[in-house]
Amino acid sequence: MVGVKSVPSPTIPSPTISADDRSHEVDHPSSEVALFGADQPLRLDCGVDLTPFQIAYKTYGELNADRSNAVLICHALTGDQHVANVHPVTGKSGWWETLVGPGRPLDPSKYFIICSNVIGGCMGSTGPASINPATGKVWGLDFPVITIPDMVRAQAMLIDRLGIDTLFAVVGGSMGGMQVLQWTAAYPSRVYSALAIACSTRHSAQNIAFHELGRQAVMADPDWHNGAYADQGIHPHRGLAVARMAAHITYLSDAALHRKFGRRMQDRELPTFSFDADFQVESYLRYQGSSFVERFDANSYLYLTRAMDYFDIAADHGGVLAKAFAGIETRFCVVSFTSDWLFPTSESRALVHALNASSARVSFAEIETDRGHDAFLLDVPEFFDISRAFLQSAGKARGLTGKNG
Amino acid sequence: MSVQEVLPLNGLAGDQSGPFRADHLLVAEMVKPGSKVLDVGCGDGDLLQLLETRGIDGRGIELSREGVNRCVAKGLAVVQGDADTDLVNYPDDAFDYVILSQTLQATRQPKVVLENLLRIGRRAIVSFPNFGFWRMRLQLLIGGHMPRTENLPASWYDTANIHFCTIKDFVELCDEIHVKMERAEALDLYGRPLRLRLPWWVWNLFGEQGVFLLTRGGK
């Protein structure tokens, strides 16, 4: 052996955006905020009344005269309210601009589109990264555990605040899809139509297992400090990045990874015989991990994954899923993707069977793609065609008029 | 498979004059307005659309993804599914009518499917191409090959139709599983009903397809 080659650190690069940028959005978001004072506590499933609290949200388009064109978009685990505008922290475009925008299935010239950051999130809605008014310090693990029904209850309070009785549509994928289903189960008369994408009525054991892996990665980071890292002015970015890397793999498919990266090397011909990111797929995951920690809070990740784990609509209705939707008049459209192994088609099918058993009006389509769970965020024309058609026909039945009729 | 678009004769389907298939018009006429209908194998949703124009609450199941997408694009409530495997998930008495239009011959277990139709719906409407039709018989008898018609154009090796039957076969199956025939129609090549009350064997010979309104309980 002659000489020693300089090998870059095998760890994940540190974030380039300062914690201050992110923490500012936690309590003082650059979007609209609805504040709920002591007179309007949020009753949580864990038995705690959360008060005061705030919900950060964005709206696009205008509410029509009879308040019948409001669409609520529910974001996925690591999404936020910035669905169709430049993100204030990352500077990137909105996470669902493929679906929302002029000429898109959700056109702001036709619908009044609302997207709120979920309770427990870290982009302006009250969550573990927020300041606990009782102590003046960051909540951390003192924040009560929240559930998907809690998120929806908070959204309903926001919708009330906006003066909307019935939502024309509630739309969401993944954790957002869970919220869509919870909306229909909890407030059937307030949801005219529901578009539930790549989701399930309950989180599977496999998915809980992946979430536990992510949480353990966060908690194993020495910077985590039992959730009180904010007091130390640090952020457990390594653990959170590992959690994100593991989760990201579940959002893709083997075929998509192979198509994108194969076994190709990154910036080199030969392996370095080290634990550097030799393979492109490794670099990609490290990038995904590091860019995620720039905009997301580690404790928030723990809380939101926990909320998904607890989700089980049937369990809330005596174990019979159909009971959750008994007599429902909401028009449903359920969409799944063939290569989604996080929320496989079989789970959507179980939902559709339950809706059929409840005599609900339901459409269900499985879309063929090798892009995995993430397909709902990508440019999949067939998915947009179906979304557009479903919303248009529901709009027709609802008597909505407007551009792109 | 597409049946020729023919306007109804003799006010068969009321004042409907849209571009609807004659056999669909006949099926629609058998359904009481205001009822709830499941169309199994609904294809592009043409029949469901016709039913909707009559104030009928229609739902559909379709095997092909493309068919489902086209149905959803028409605003119809259609789910992707397989008549052979998915009907078991539907509860008893969920619908007033369950329709199986030109699909029976493509199912793996026609008998089980038929039983399911009459479990899910109080009534079932079944239409299928009659393999006892004289042209079919001639093609096999004279031509010596598996029959192909305008409505069933696929060759034997690439057709989705695996369980052809004749009107006579179907009547026997209904007897076997104690299904009552409330109404029976044989349609000619143009989808028009044979007007006369003729013996079964004539229908079996001259009916290009059969349309049957079935109820539970038997003879």
Side-chain angles (χ1 to χ4, degrees):
Chain A
M1 297 286 277
V2 186
V4 178
K5 202 171 146 194
S6 160
V7 177
S9 160
T11 57
I12 295 145
S14 296
T16 54
I17 293 174
S18 77
D20 286 349
D21 290 343
R22 185 184 55 239
S23 60
H24 185 76
E25 289 291 329
V26 170
D27 287 308
H28 305 287
S30 45
S31 61
E32 296 91 325
V33 176
L35 293 160
F36 296 90
D39 56 326
Q40 285 183 288
L42 175 64
R43 193 138 298 171
L44 300 173
D45 281 344
C46 66
V48 173
D49 276 357
L50 185 64
T51 182
F53 73 101
Q54 68 180 40
I55 297 289
Y57 66 100
K58 289 289 295 182
T59 66
Y60 311 82
E62 283 175 21
L63 192 61
N64 62 8
D66 53 0
R67 299 171 177 266
S68 62
N69 68 334
V71 174
L72 177 69
I73 294 178
C74 302
H75 70 72
L77 176 65
T78 64
D80 51 43
Q81 69 273 37
H82 302 285
V83 59
N85 56 267
V86 172
H87 195 279
V89 176
T90 65
K92 290 179 181 163
S93 50
W95 57 270
W96 222 357
E97 283 193 339
T98 48
L99 190 80
V100 182
R104 306 286 184 183
L106 281 172
D107 192 328
S109 71
K110 189 177 175 191
Y111 306 109
F112 178 58
I113 298 163
I114 308 153
C115 184
S116 70
N117 186 215
V118 294
I119 198 85
C122 55
M123 283 300 289
S125 294
T126 301
S130 309
I131 300 291
N132 178 355
T135 64
K137 288 161 69 172
V138 171
W139 274 98
L141 291 197
D142 290 336
F143 194 73
V145 167
I146 45 127
T147 63
I148 301 284
D150 291 338
M151 294 175 187
V152 167
R153 219 169 286 131
Q155 283 169 345
M157 290 170 77
L158 171 66
I159 299 306
D160 287 339
R161 178 72 63 88
L162 294 174
I164 296 159
D165 179 44
T166 303
L167 291 160
F168 165 65
V170 183
V171 179
S174 197
M175 186 182 87
M178 288 178 161
Q179 293 164 61
V180 171
L181 299 176
Q182 178 60 29
W183 259 100
T184 60
Y187 308 100
S189 62
R190 299 190 71 177
V191 184
Y192 188 78
S193 63
L195 177 54
I197 307 145
C199 66
S200 168
T201 58
R202 61 166 186 37
H203 215 220
S204 70
Q206 176 178 276
N207 292 355
I208 295 170
F210 277 119
H211 275 174
E212 175 60 2
L213 185 153
R215 284 190 294 265
Q216 288 299 329
V218 170
M219 294 179 189
D221 189 322
D223 288 345
W224 183 59
H225 292 290
N226 274 323
Y229 49 84
D231 299 343
Q232 324 266 335
I234 50 174
H235 191 245
H237 70 269
R238 288 177 196 84
L240 182 60
V242 170
R244 175 61 170 182
M245 287 166 76
H248 199 79
I249 297 168
T250 69
Y251 302 154
L252 308 173
S253 71
D254 188 32
L257 279 174
H258 251 281
R259 184 162 40 76
K260 211 165 174 178
F261 307 109
R263 289 182 51 83
R264 283 191 296 282
M265 300 279 209
Q266 180 79 28
D267 304 329
R268 69 203 60 170
E269 298 289 316
L270 297 167
T272 58
F273 297 103
S274 74
F275 295 106
D276 190 14
D278 282 4
F279 294 101
Q280 283 181 6
V281 66
E282 293 174 310
S283 297
Y284 170 75
L285 281 180
R286 288 181 189 191
Y287 167 76
Q288 288 294 337
S290 66
S291 63
F292 177 61
V293 301
E294 288 174 351
R295 65 177 175 88
F296 216 84
D297 175 70
N299 283 339
S300 212
Y301 193 81
L302 303 182
Y303 278 82
L304 298 189
T305 53
R306 204 68 186 135
M308 286 181 80
D309 293 349
Y310 281 138
F311 190 59
D312 186 345
I313 289 189
D316 297 340
H317 290 83
V320 183
L321 188 55
K323 275 191 189 164
F325 306 111
I328 198 163
E329 289 182 16
T330 303
R331 303 161 75 99
F332 283 86
C333 184
V334 178
V335 177
S336 72
F337 300 95
T338 50
S339 52
D340 184 349
W341 57 291
L342 208 55
F343 292 100
T345 292
S346 57
E347 305 208 344
S348 288
R349 230 176 250 287
L351 163 64
V352 169
H353 290 154
L355 288 170
N356 273 327
S358 318
S359 291
R361 185 181 166 93
V362 56
S363 309
F364 165 54
E366 182 187 28
I367 290 165
E368 185 160 12
T369 173
D370 76 348
R371 302 170 89 169
H373 180 65
D374 254 4
F376 80 95
L377 295 170
L378 304 173
D379 187 16
V380 179
E382 200 178 355
F383 163 53
F384 300 137
D385 290 347
I386 285 189
S387 303
R388 187 191 305 271
F390 170 70
L391 292 165
Q392 277 179 350
S393 72
K396 204 172 149 193
R398 177 96 166 129
L400 277 191
T401 50
K403 290 177 193 172
N404 310 310
Chain B
M1 58 213 110
S2 75
V3 173
Q4 279 187 335
E5 290 176 0
V6 172
L7 293 179
L9 295 178
N10 307 329
L12 167 73
D15 51 9
Q16 264 301 338
S17 57
F20 296 110
R21 277 164 42 176
D23 61 326
H24 282 174
L25 290 166
L26 176 64
V27 169
E29 189 213 14
M30 291 180 178
V31 179
K32 280 194 191 121
S35 45
K36 196 170 167 187
V37 172
L38 177 67
D39 186 1
V40 180
C42 59
D44 284 357
D46 293 341
L47 177 59
L48 282 172
Q49 273 193 308
L50 170 60
L51 293 172
E52 281 206 343
T53 65
R54 303 185 164 202
I56 290 158
D57 184 12
R59 313 286 164 83
I61 306 176
E62 167 59 30
L63 186 60
S64 83
R65 194 173 289 130
E66 299 76 24
V68 173
N69 291 2
R70 282 194 287 268
C71 288
V72 177
K74 292 173 182 173
L76 300 167
V78 172
V79 302
Q80 201 184 5
D82 186 333
D84 277 303
T85 55
D86 286 11
L87 289 179
V88 292
N89 297 302
Y90 283 76
D92 298 355
D93 296 321
F95 291 88
D96 298 312
Y97 298 82
V98 182
I99 296 171
L100 191 70
S101 172
Q102 304 280 325
T103 302
L104 184 70
Q105 73 281 1
T107 62
R108 283 189 295 281
Q109 300 192 77
K111 183 177 157 190
V112 176
V113 168
L114 193 59
E115 284 169 338
N116 265 320
L117 297 185
L118 281 153
R119 179 184 60 78
I120 300 165
R122 274 164 262 281
R123 289 189 164 82
I125 300 171
V126 179
S127 77
F128 58 87
N130 171 29
F131 227 64
F133 185 47
W134 63 271
R135 283 203 185 183
M136 299 280 198
R137 298 191 195 197
L138 267 186
Q139 285 193 39
L140 198 54
L141 182 69
I142 308 294
H145 54 75
M146 284 300 282
R148 285 163 59 185
T149 68
E150 202 174 313
N151 298 333
L152 299 170
S155 298
W156 63 273
Y157 51 82
D158 65 2
T159 176
N161 300 317
I162 51 176
H163 280 126
F164 277 121
C165 68
T166 67
I167 286 177
K168 191 177 174 189
D169 290 328
F170 184 75
V171 170
E172 284 170 9
L173 174 62
C174 288
D175 277 346
E176 190 186 324
I177 60 173
H178 308 298
V179 169
K180 192 177 156 196
M181 288 193 166
E182 201 165 281
R183 190 171 158 188
E185 298 280 354
L187 306 186
D188 68 14
L189 257 184
Y190 306 102
R192 296 176 299 206
L194 302 180
R195 309 295 308 170
L196 302 170
R197 305 310 296 175
L198 299 165
W200 281 114
W201 70 265
V202 182
W203 278 25
N204 202 26
L205 191 58
F206 292 106
E208 197 272 338
Q209 59 175 310
V211 182
F212 298 87
L213 176 63
L214 310 171
T215 55
R216 299 167 194 166
K219 296 169 183 178

